[in-house]
Every structure is written in C-alpha cells, then in structure tokens.
C-alpha cells in the first residue's frame, strides 16, 4: 500500500465545512448533487492517493478543490451490500443486505428519497446487474437506468495464440456481455442525455455507477496499452481466483463431455464457464512476474478509463455553468486484491485492506479544497455527510457519522458473507486459499482500530490474524502470536459489537433474496460471484 504524507494542518478549519450550504436568510438555489461510485477501485491505485502511475488526472483536480478522505473503508467488499450502506447510512447487519442478490427492505429510507423529498429531480445510471432495480436501490429515483434486459449475449473475446492484440478478431474490443455489465461510456452517455433533457427547474441529484475496474481487467484502446504493450499469448483479462472459484471450475470441468474436455485441454488447459464460453483458465499461481505486472497495467488502464468518464460528467456541469455551485462526491464501493495475498485476484472472499480501502473525495462549493483528512471514514458515512453538508436533516439511528464534524476515533467492523455452506476444502485448495486452511463457506470478519487490524477467517480453524498497519500496511506478517492481549481485547470489541448488531435471522440460511430468478442468479455467476 502507498505510504502517506502527514496531513499537517490539513484539518485546520474543518469546522467551517459544517456550515450548511443551504442555510441562508433568504431562498437559496439548491445545488446540483453528483454522486459517482466506481466499482472495484482500490484507493492506492489512484494517483491522488500516492500511486506511482498517473491514473486519475480528473479526480486529482477534483481533490485539489475538495476533501480527500485518506482512510475510507468498505464495510463489506460486495457491490450490492456496499451500495446499500452508501445509500442508507447503515452497516450491512442493520440494512440486512448481505449478498449481491439481496433486496433492500422498504423500511429503510435511501439517500435518493431524502433528495426527492427535498424537491430534487433524481436519476441513477448503473453499469452492472448486481444493482438491478430488483435490489431495491431504485427507491427515490424518478429515473433509474439499469442494463436493458433481455439482450443478445456477446461472448468474451479471447485473442488467438500468436495474435495477442486481437487485431482483426474484435475491432471494438468491447468484451462485455449484454445483460450483465456495460462500459462506463454507455452509462455516462445515458446520464448526460437525461441531464440535458431536464427543464423542470428542479435541482438535480444524479448517481452514476461505473463498473469498469471490475474483472475482467479489460480496458478499451487506447487505455489497454497506456502503461505497457500487449505481450505473450495468454488472455490476462480474467484470472482464476484460487480455492473458491477453482473448486467450482473443477466441478464443471469434470462434468464436461470427455471429448470436449480433451479438446479444451489441448487448446487451453481448461474450460471456462461464465465469461463467454470456452476459454483459458489461468491459475494465478502460474503467472510470471511479467504477467503479474501486465495484470496491474490492465487494471490501471481501467482506472484511467473510469476517471475519464468522471471527467465527462464534470465537463458537462462546467459547460452549463453549474459546476461552481455543485456538490460532487466520487468514491469506490470496495477495492480489489491483485495477487498480494496467496495469489488471490478479486475482492469478495477477503478482508485485507486491498479489498476494503477505497477512495472518497467530496467537493463542497464555497469551501477551500486540497485538504487531506485523516479521519477514518466508512461507506455508511456518506448519507449523514452529504445531508449535513447541504444543511439537510439526517434521520436518527444511522450507523454512519457526518465526517465534516471533525476527526472521530472509532473501531471499524468489516465483514464478508460468502453464502456457501461450511465444509472442508480439498487439501490443495486449502493451501492456495488466500486465508490458508479455512472452511469453504463462511462468514469472515475484521476489526480495524487505529494501527491494528484483526482478521478472522471464521472457519473450522478460526485463529485470528493480527496486522500492524503502521509497520506492515500490506498486511503480510501476522503478529497475533506476539500480541495475545491485544488480540483478546479486539476479540472482546468484536463480541460486544456482535451482541449489539445481531445477524438478521434470515441470513443464516438464505443464499439469495426471495424473488431472485434463475436468470439473475446466472448473471451473478457469470460476473464471478459464487454465492
């Protein structure tokens, strides 16, 4: 992880930011509010967070005019639960959305409903099926643009050996599958068209969700070769995640017709289901150092592409003379582990900071920007922070806090819910699991308190791991054995928190929300979510 400069006097004058933007002696025109969430984007791959590559020139400029929250954590590294926290101000146990196919109950008021009630015209534009309207996040939006369904499927393009660039195979290199996800350009095109068409005089609240940094790591040109040329003859857009995915693919492979299996072995080494049919499965452990670097180049290309799409939205605001008085928030929903931990590529099976630390940048008109705030923030803090910054009342009972009220020291509790019934992994998969020998399907949790972080995999062998984030920000060395008292103290914190926030009763058996049809389940499988 990147090492941070000390913020020094960055938080001086923070109290000035708590002055409501809409508080005035007379009527004030309400500002446009733009919320952009970028899926699967880890904080330390943005140049404004210290990344060595210049990946985010647009967000960097936004940071110079706003507030950058240095330590922002996703409470769960899953898209639907994380966005449910972003839109309700609640932790996953409170809003009871624990998986990507779960539905947000009608009793929880969303951020969009707050803005609609305040007289805003509201619209959302999302880029993946995991935020389908059936998830319940469409409440409060006058217009909710999801992926058109049904639609003809388009197979993931896999370059032929000897033609790694794919030239002539797939000129536009969209590599997306209709009905599951779409590129940011299409999503932003729809958002801009809607904003241009608004003439009601109402202020706008617009949410744009970009999915591009998610697997497959597959930016379009010229972003695909922005940080390095194509090399080799293996498709590195999708990397097999060890343990969980390997077991699933092994089962599918063994059920494949023998003749087809032999042909696939000869061509690729394995079949790949769910990303457009047959194609190579690349075990992460087999990657060379050069291939690992290429995967990082592709991921960073996706980050630059997403940053460009943010720039298109801001350019429209500037062109309409709305930008100076607009509130703009850009953030991630969760991060992505890129092989740092036992060759794992992905996010929803691990609770290392690579999957939890996300960017959060907020621009508020009338305030000085360029501040780096060391306060520990979470996805549940967005609702009270945006409402507080706009002088709007926050409902009681939220788990999140208004980040503009100054630094607050607090432990953060993170969890992930895999939704697979407990059972032992085969020995080889245990060895390659990112957590080592753990149960195949369990609820995992972490406590992060200042410099210390305790992670419990939560399986048959659930000994806690402890990391000193001050000396080991990459979480490579487990020091639990030499800090037994601290582990016990953090465990007590966790137990008390669990007693105050019991798991919703249905979650103990439910693998997906009622009403999720087979089509949705298949799309979730094809996006790489195994629940």
């Amino acid at each position: 992880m990147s090492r941070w400069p000390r913020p020094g006097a960055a938080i001086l004058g923070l109290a000035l930011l708590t002055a409501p933007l809409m508080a005035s002696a007379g009527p004030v025109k309400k500002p446009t509010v733009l919320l952009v969430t970028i899926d699967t984007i880890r904080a330390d791959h943005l140049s404004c967070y210290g990344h060595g590559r210049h990946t985010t020139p647009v967000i960097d400029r936004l940071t110079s005019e706003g507030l950058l929250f240095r330590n922002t954590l996703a409470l769960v590294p899953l898209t639907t639960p994380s966005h449910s926290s972003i839109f309700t101000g609640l932790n996953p146990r409170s809003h009871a959305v624990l998986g990507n196919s779960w539905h947000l109950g009608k009793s929880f008021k969303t951020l969009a409903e707050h803005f609609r009630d305040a007289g805003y015209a509201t619209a959302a534009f999302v880029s993946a099926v995991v935020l389908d309207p059936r998830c319940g996040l469409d409440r409060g939006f006058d217009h909710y643009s999801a992926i058109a369904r049904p639609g003809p499927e388009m197979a993931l393009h896999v370059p032929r050996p000897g033609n790694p660039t794919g030239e002539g195979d797939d000129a536009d290199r969209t590599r997306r599958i209709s009905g599951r996800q779409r590129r940011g350009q299409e999503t932003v095109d729809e958002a801009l068209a809607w904003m241009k068409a608004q003439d009601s005089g109402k202020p706008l609240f617009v949410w744009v969700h970009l999915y591009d940094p998610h697997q497959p790591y597959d930016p379009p040109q010229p972003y695909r070769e922005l940080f390095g040329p194509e090399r080799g003859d293996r498709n590195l857009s999708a990397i097999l995640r060890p343990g969980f995915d390997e077991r699933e693919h092994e089962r599918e492979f063994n059920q494949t017709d023998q003749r087809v299996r032999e042909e696939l072995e000869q061509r690729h080494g394995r079949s790949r289901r769910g990303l457009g049919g047959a194609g190579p499965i690349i075990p992460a452990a087999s990657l060379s150092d050069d291939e690992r670097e290429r995967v990082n180049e592709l991921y960073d290309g996706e980050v630059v592409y997403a940053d460009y799409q943010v720039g298109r939205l801001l350019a429209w605001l500037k062109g309409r003379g709305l930008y100076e008085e607009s509130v703009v928030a850009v953030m991630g929903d969760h991060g992505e582990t890129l092989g740092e931990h036992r060759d794992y590529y992905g996010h929803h099976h691990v609770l290392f900071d690579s999957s939890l630390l996300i960017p959060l940048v907020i621009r508020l008109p009338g305030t000085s920007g360029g501040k780096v705030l060391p306060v520990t923030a979470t996805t549940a803090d967005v609702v009270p922070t945006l409402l507080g910054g706009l002088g709007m009342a926050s409902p009681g009972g939220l788990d999140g806090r208004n980040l503009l009220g100054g630094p607050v020291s607090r432990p953060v509790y993170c969890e992930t819910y895999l939704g697979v019934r407990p059972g032992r992994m085969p020995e080889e998969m245990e060895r390659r699991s990112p957590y080592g020998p753990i149960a195949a399907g369990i609820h995992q949790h972490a406590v992060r308190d200042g410099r210390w972080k305790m992670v419990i995999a939560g399986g048959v062998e659930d000994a806690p791991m402890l990391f000193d984030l001050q000396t080991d920000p990459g979480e490579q060395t487990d020091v639990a054995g030499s800090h037994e008292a601290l582990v016990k103290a953090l465990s007590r914190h966790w137990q008390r928190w669990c007693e105050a926030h019991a798991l919703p009763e249905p979650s103990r058996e439910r693998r997906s929300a009622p009403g999720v049809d087979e089509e949705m389940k298949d799309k979730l499988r094809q996006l790489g979510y195994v629940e």
Side-chain angles (χ1 to χ4, degrees):
M1 309 291 273
S2 302
R3 300 307 299 268
W4 294 91
R6 291 182 61 84
I11 62 172
L12 292 179
L14 184 61
L16 296 175
L17 299 175
T18 62
L21 299 179
M22 293 163 56
S24 175
V28 176
K29 180 176 174 59
K30 296 176 181 178
T32 297
V33 180
L34 172 65
L35 170 63
V36 180
T37 60
I38 306 176
D39 215 291
T40 325
I41 187 167
R42 50 189 283 173
D44 64 349
H45 275 244
L46 278 67
S47 42
C48 55
Y49 278 82
H51 191 36
R53 294 188 177 122
H54 192 43
T55 51
T56 49
V58 172
I59 300 175
D60 293 355
R61 288 194 294 274
L62 183 68
T63 299
S64 70
E65 302 171 1
L67 309 171
L68 181 147
F69 294 88
R70 190 178 67 182
N71 296 304
T72 304
L73 291 158
L75 295 174
V76 55
L78 285 160
T79 298
T80 315
S82 189
H83 279 88
S84 296
S85 290
I86 291 169
F87 274 83
T88 64
L90 300 171
N91 66 51
R93 291 192 178 208
S94 296
H95 59 60
V97 177
L98 307 183
N100 271 331
S101 56
W102 292 37
H103 180 85
L104 180 67
K106 293 182 179 180
S107 61
F108 303 106
K109 190 169 184 177
T110 68
L111 183 62
E113 290 176 301
H114 285 288
F115 280 110
R116 184 194 59 191
D117 292 349
Y120 277 73
T122 58
F125 304 85
V126 303
S127 299
V129 72
V130 289
L131 295 174
D132 183 281
R134 287 172 292 184
C135 296
L137 288 171
D138 61 329
R139 290 204 309 279
F141 286 106
D142 303 319
H143 178 77
Y144 195 92
S145 171
I147 298 170
R149 297 187 310 115
E153 291 192 346
M154 177 184 67
L156 177 73
H157 170 63
V158 179
R160 295 191 304 266
N163 184 24
T165 65
E167 185 175 357
D169 290 349
D170 182 6
D172 62 9
R173 304 186 65 83
T174 56
R175 298 192 183 196
R176 287 298 189 267
I177 303 171
S178 177
R180 301 181 192 113
Q181 53 186 306
R182 62 182 176 184
R183 284 218 187 272
Q185 178 172 338
E186 181 181 348
T187 302
V188 171
D189 283 348
E190 287 202 12
L192 293 175
W194 183 86
M195 290 192 289
K196 291 174 184 176
Q198 299 311 299
D199 59 3
S200 66
K202 289 184 176 182
L204 306 181
F205 169 62
V206 180
W207 167 37
V208 176
H209 164 256
L210 304 175
Y211 198 68
D212 299 277
H214 196 283
Q215 276 205 35
Y217 311 127
D218 184 43
Q221 294 289 15
Y223 306 93
R224 188 171 186 84
E225 298 187 70
L226 193 60
F227 299 112
E230 296 279 12
R231 46 196 184 270
D233 61 0
R234 298 213 289 178
N235 173 35
L236 299 178
S237 294
I239 306 300
L240 175 66
R241 290 167 288 196
F244 302 95
D245 289 2
E246 181 169 316
R247 181 177 60 173
E248 177 72 8
H249 286 297
E250 188 70 28
R251 179 184 63 79
E252 293 165 354
F253 183 74
N254 289 338
Q255 292 177 357
T256 304
D257 177 82
Q258 178 66 27
R259 181 186 58 80
V260 176
R261 188 163 67 242
E262 290 175 355
E263 180 182 347
L264 290 169
E265 280 186 318
Q266 183 177 6
R267 282 195 300 156
H268 302 302
R270 277 289 193 273
S271 66
R272 184 173 183 88
R273 176 188 181 277
L275 287 174
I281 288 180
I282 302 175
S286 74
L287 295 177
S288 67
D289 290 343
D290 188 61
E291 287 175 325
R292 291 174 186 272
E293 177 59 23
R294 181 58 185 149
V295 173
N296 275 271
E297 292 171 357
L298 291 170
Y299 177 82
D300 283 347
E302 296 265 38
V303 172
V304 179
Y305 176 77
D307 181 77
Y308 174 75
Q309 301 306 326
V310 175
R312 294 178 61 208
L313 294 165
L314 301 187
W316 185 86
L317 292 175
K318 292 175 181 177
R320 291 296 181 97
L322 298 173
Y323 179 77
E324 290 302 321
E325 299 305 318
S326 292
V327 174
V328 179
V330 178
M331 65 181 301
D333 68 336
H334 56 72
E336 181 82 331
T337 298
L338 295 169
E340 301 97 325
H341 299 283
R342 297 179 71 114
D343 297 318
Y344 180 80
Y345 284 79
H347 47 273
H348 60 293
H349 290 128
V350 298
L351 290 176
F352 296 111
D353 274 4
S354 52
S355 289
L356 297 177
L357 274 179
I358 56 174
L360 174 60
V361 177
I362 299 177
R363 179 193 181 276
L364 297 168
T367 62
S368 58
K371 290 184 171 64
V372 178
L373 304 182
V375 58
T376 298
T378 77
T379 43
D381 296 328
V382 174
V383 167
T385 300
L386 288 182
L387 294 181
L390 286 163
M392 298 167 61
S394 293
L398 297 186
D399 296 314
R401 303 180 184 182
N402 184 347
L403 299 172
L404 306 180
V408 176
S409 177
R410 55 174 171 168
V412 175
Y413 303 92
C414 303
E415 304 180 72
T416 189
Y417 311 88
L418 306 186
V420 184
R421 299 199 182 277
R424 295 293 294 180
M425 286 184 178
E427 183 177 349
E428 173 63 15
M429 294 180 190
E430 284 185 355
R431 184 183 67 79
R432 293 183 54 205
S433 162
Y435 284 119
I438 61 175
I442 23 82
H443 154 220
Q444 301 162 2
H445 54 267
V447 182
R448 201 176 191 274
D449 191 4
R451 67 182 283 184
W452 300 102
K453 180 178 174 185
M454 183 184 73
V455 178
I456 300 180
V460 179
E461 301 176 17
D462 58 354
M465 295 180 288
L466 182 70
F467 300 101
D468 183 348
L469 301 176
Q470 181 172 301
T471 60
D472 178 29
E475 297 169 285
Q476 296 296 319
T477 304
D478 176 12
V479 296
S482 56
H483 294 81
E484 294 182 3
L486 179 57
V487 169
K488 290 180 179 179
L490 291 174
S491 297
R492 286 194 296 271
H493 281 312
W494 169 252
Q495 290 301 325
R496 285 195 293 268
W497 190 85
C498 287
E499 291 169 2
H501 302 82
L503 277 170
E505 187 68 27
S507 73
R508 297 193 176 104
E509 297 296 333
R510 183 175 61 175
R511 294 179 64 178
S512 61
V516 176
D517 55 27
E518 288 303 317
E519 178 188 8
M520 171 68 89
K521 290 178 182 178
D522 184 59
K523 293 179 188 300
L524 291 169
R525 283 192 291 267
Q526 292 172 6
L527 286 172
Y529 295 104
V530 181
E531 298 189 346

